Amino acid sequence: MRDKKINPIYDGTVIDHIPPTKSIQVAQILGLINHKSEVTIGMNLSSKKIKIKDAVKIENRSLSGRELNKIGIIAPNATINIIKHGKVIKKFKLKLPSNIERIVKCKNPNCITNNQDTHTLFHITNKIPLVMKCHYCERSLENDEFDLV
């Protein structure tokens, strides 16, 4: 087995334990394509916990609560590591909130959120597999059938 080496970051955020193939979607959510600092995306990495994982390292970037919620929808068991001066100062596992507000679009064309100036609100009805229910029209969305706002 070959040693895999990804350079550590000095300050920033590491998103670890992303499900395989989801790191590109995480990078898109965070707008990392045009990010000015170093970004490392690791795909299909070995993991003791989940066998295969993806990871994203972002130099000089903190994540907002809204960004964490968006990532939580894509990678609900991801681990966030906050790095300062080359050391992990905070580490936590993402947790889906019971409600998702202004993050997911409703797929129902007749939903009030698609026809009036009303923000979206979904209730998480199941975490694995992910199922969300629209607060207004009660349409359920499962796994990857949703679009982020």
Side-chain angles (χ1 to χ4, degrees):
M1 178 184 268
R2 296 181 318 177
D3 287 339
K4 296 176 186 169
K5 178 79 170 150
I6 298 175
N7 291 334
I9 60 175
Y10 188 71
D11 286 308
T13 304
V14 176
I15 308 161
D16 199 6
H17 300 104
I18 300 169
T21 73
K22 298 289 186 177
S23 59
I24 298 298
Q25 200 170 3
V26 169
Q28 289 171 330
I29 287 169
L30 298 175
L32 298 179
I33 305 306
N34 297 320
H35 190 62
K36 304 239 187 269
S37 297
E38 183 177 315
V39 174
T40 304
I41 297 174
M43 298 178 72
N44 298 318
L45 305 171
S46 296
S47 170
K48 291 178 185 173
K49 288 183 180 180
I50 60 174
K51 294 189 181 180
I52 298 173
K53 67 178 181 178
D54 284 3
V56 176
K57 291 184 176 191
I58 314 156
E59 186 81 40
N60 299 320
R61 171 95 183 263
S62 298
L63 303 179
S64 70
R66 182 174 167 80
E67 289 173 320
L68 291 172
N69 283 340
K70 283 184 175 184
I71 295 167
I73 292 169
I74 304 303
N77 294 314
T79 303
I80 305 296
N81 297 282
I82 310 300
I83 314 295
K84 295 286 182 200
H85 305 294
K87 299 200 185 295
V88 176
I89 62 161
K90 187 174 183 182
K91 182 175 185 171
F92 59 94
K93 207 168 181 62
L94 283 180
K95 294 191 178 174
L96 276 175
S98 56
N99 298 312
I100 301 289
E101 191 170 359
R102 298 179 179 173
I103 292 178
V104 176
K105 294 179 187 176
C106 186
K107 291 276 190 175
N108 179 355
N110 297 320
C111 182
I112 192 171
T113 61
N114 291 317
N115 295 294
Q116 294 183 19
D117 189 22
T118 305
H119 67 271
T120 62
L121 174 62
F122 283 84
H123 306 288
I124 304 296
T125 57
N126 195 46
K127 292 188 178 191
I128 299 174
L130 178 61
V131 179
M132 296 180 270
K133 186 175 181 179
C134 178
H135 176 77
Y136 302 103
C137 72
E138 298 187 347
R139 180 167 185 169
S140 289
L141 302 177
E142 298 180 18
N143 287 328
D144 292 334
E145 71 175 7
F146 52 82
D147 296 320
L148 300 176
V149 175

